[in-house]
Structures are given as structure tokens and as C-alpha cells.
Amino acid sequence: MVGLPDSGAYLEKRFAGLRNVELQCSKQESLSLTNSTWGYQVGLLGEKSQVYREQNSSDTEWTPLENITTQMLVWYKSTFETPEGDDPVALDLSSMGKGEVWVNGESIGRYWILFHDSKGNPSQSMYHVPRSFLKDKSENVLVLVDEGGGNPLAITLNTVVVANFHQTKSNLLSFPSFA
């Protein structure tokens, strides 16, 4: 529909689509962008520079999160302590939109809370964090990118017990920064 190839390997390297671009500024003036260095790029700059890894995170300028605005495509970073015990750990991302989450540089997967099933509920809101991803005695780093205008202040870190559900409070709720 937009002139780009829709299948096959190396889509980002195959040229298709617009070849000549000219902006009509007024009836008498136009600006040719045909020879400009613009194009299509696969992925996000944050993914390319791997801001979700601790060693690369310090190279990123993170801004303190003071209030929530509905903003699309935002990177968030926070820290939390490892919950005590051996129970499984899960992140409740029900307040978020759509994106991907990393704990200590390891992806725990993509989430899409905005997508609802036939009953109007998100297909999944709890995301398992393997204990092997967590550090024993130091701060863990949570980084996520949200494409759908979510609220990171409502994310909770939980431990799960077979009989019932316990919530562990942590400084994950403070979400000190975003990019």
C-alpha cells in the first residue's frame, strides 16, 4: 500500500516506493528532497544502542519522570530489589500499552495490553520474570519501551504462590527516569 516490499529477506535493504520527492511550498516555490539522505530504518535507536543493558544505559540521558502524559514511544528505566524467597516473580503490566520489557538486560518479552480478547480483557497482563535474571544482593534494572501511552507508575512486581497471589512492594513503583 505504501510502495514497500511486503515479504522476503532483507526488506530493509531492498529499495521500493517513492523515488522523487518534491515539496510544493507555494505556487512559485518548491523544494526537492529527491537527493536527500532520508530513508526507511528497521528498529529503534534505543534497540540499536541497547539502552536496556546496564553497561549501555549509563550512556543514555535519562530524565526524571515527574508526571504522566499520554506520550507514544517512550523508554522507561527503574530499579528494584529482588523479592525474598523462592516463589516465582511476575510483573503486572496492566497499566501499560504495547512494548517490550528487559530485566538486567534480558528480555522477558513483548507485551500488548491494548489488545483485548472477545470479552474486553487483555490477553495477558502478568509477565514472568525468571529468578535467574535477578541479582541476589543488588539492585535489578528494569527497562521498557512503551508504544501505547501506558502508565509506568502503576506497574507492580509480584510474587506468585500456587494457593494465592501476593504483591511485593518495591521501589519499582517510583520509576525515577525515562528517555
Side-chain angles (χ1 to χ4, degrees):
M1 296 297 288
V2 294
L4 298 174
D6 64 354
S7 64
Y10 306 105
L11 289 176
E12 70 276 10
K13 295 182 185 203
R14 293 182 5 209
F15 185 81
L18 301 174
R19 296 185 188 275
N20 296 314
V21 177
E22 187 174 310
L23 298 177
Q24 191 70 40
C25 303
S26 67
K27 289 185 179 183
Q28 296 82 20
E29 189 178 354
S30 65
L31 175 64
S32 175
L33 299 176
T34 301
N35 295 320
S36 296
T37 56
W38 60 287
Y40 178 74
Q41 175 184 320
V42 173
L44 301 172
L45 183 58
E47 289 175 313
K48 184 176 181 179
S49 60
Q50 299 182 336
V51 299
Y52 48 85
R53 296 197 176 277
E54 280 187 82
Q55 60 269 27
N56 300 341
S57 179
S58 60
D59 296 337
T60 303
E61 184 178 334
W62 297 94
T63 306
L65 184 60
E66 295 172 358
N67 55 22
I68 299 297
T69 59
T70 304
Q71 186 176 353
M72 302 298 185
L73 203 56
V74 181
W75 288 85
Y76 297 102
K77 175 185 171 186
S78 186
T79 58
F80 64 96
E81 298 296 324
T82 300
E84 293 182 14
D86 294 327
D87 294 327
V89 178
L91 278 173
D92 182 350
L93 299 175
S94 59
S95 66
M96 300 307 292
K98 175 184 176 183
E100 187 167 358
V101 183
W102 294 266
V103 174
N104 295 325
E106 301 288 341
S107 176
I108 63 167
R110 289 192 50 82
Y111 62 89
W112 194 359
I113 309 301
L114 293 175
F115 181 76
H116 292 121
D117 63 17
S118 60
K119 296 179 182 175
N121 300 316
S123 59
Q124 181 178 347
S125 61
M126 299 296 289
Y127 290 81
H128 178 241
V129 180
R131 281 206 176 256
S132 61
F133 288 5
L134 301 177
K135 298 177 182 178
D136 287 334
K137 303 291 183 201
S138 62
E139 283 190 336
N140 297 281
V141 177
L142 172 77
V143 175
L144 61 93
V145 59
D146 191 72
E147 304 170 34
N151 178 3
L153 299 176
I155 294 174
T156 59
L157 181 68
N158 305 283
T159 54
V160 181
V161 179
V162 175
N164 57 17
F165 192 77
H166 295 282
Q167 187 172 355
T168 302
K169 299 290 184 191
S170 69
N171 46 347
L172 180 62
L173 300 174
S174 64
F175 252 97
S177 55
F178 72 100

